[in-house]
Amino acid sequence: MAGYIPVGRRRGTGNRPQLLRGLGFVVIGAALLATLWPTFTGDMGWSGRSGTLTVSSCALGAGSHPVNTCQGDLRLSDDPTVHHGAWVTTQNDYQPGSAIPVRAGTDGSLQTATGSDRLAVGFGVLMCCAAVAVGLTELVRLATTRHKPRR
């Protein structure tokens, strides 16, 4: 019968859906990983400079998710200079005189990292790596599978 295509077989698709799915996982996972990596390394203390902010005042911001902006004197572990007027945003409310462990980024910003921040960003990095691994596994499977020639 001319033009008859058996159910379950489509003409001309080959391995394109599996290839696109594998490439999609690799590209999306790698893009998200590239986005999260700087935050991850900062939260884990692998980048930036560690220091302590001695709080002089904290002010609660407005909005649906208000954060505290604390200002004070910053002492970096590798710099004896005291930097006055440094500020950091945090979810916690600190009293004047409190010492907040911070990391100074290369752009001059300050960050605090709590255990829950580290856990969330670490989980995100793990999921990105899993997506890349799934995509690479799919691509390797496609590359090593022998296909029967069509009749």
Side-chain angles (χ1 to χ4, degrees), residues 33-71:
L33 185 60
T35 303
L36 282 177
W37 192 253
T39 304
F40 180 67
T41 58
D43 285 352
M44 292 305 186
W46 298 339
S47 68
R49 298 163 46 194
S50 63
T52 304
L53 179 75
T54 304
V55 176
S56 58
S57 66
C58 282
L60 183 62
S64 59
H65 299 288
V67 293
N68 286 311
T69 301
C70 296
Q71 187 172 356

Side-chain angles (χ1 to χ4, degrees), residues 69-111:
T69 301
C70 296
Q71 187 172 356
D73 298 334
L74 173 66
R75 288 179 180 81
L76 296 173
S77 59
D78 60 352
D79 183 6
T81 308
V82 176
H83 303 277
H84 301 286
W87 58 272
V88 67
T89 58
T90 178
Q91 296 294 325
N92 300 323
D93 185 25
Y94 291 98
Q95 298 300 319
S98 299
I100 304 173
V102 294
R103 296 211 58 89
T106 56
D107 61 353
S109 64
L110 293 180
Q111 299 175 345

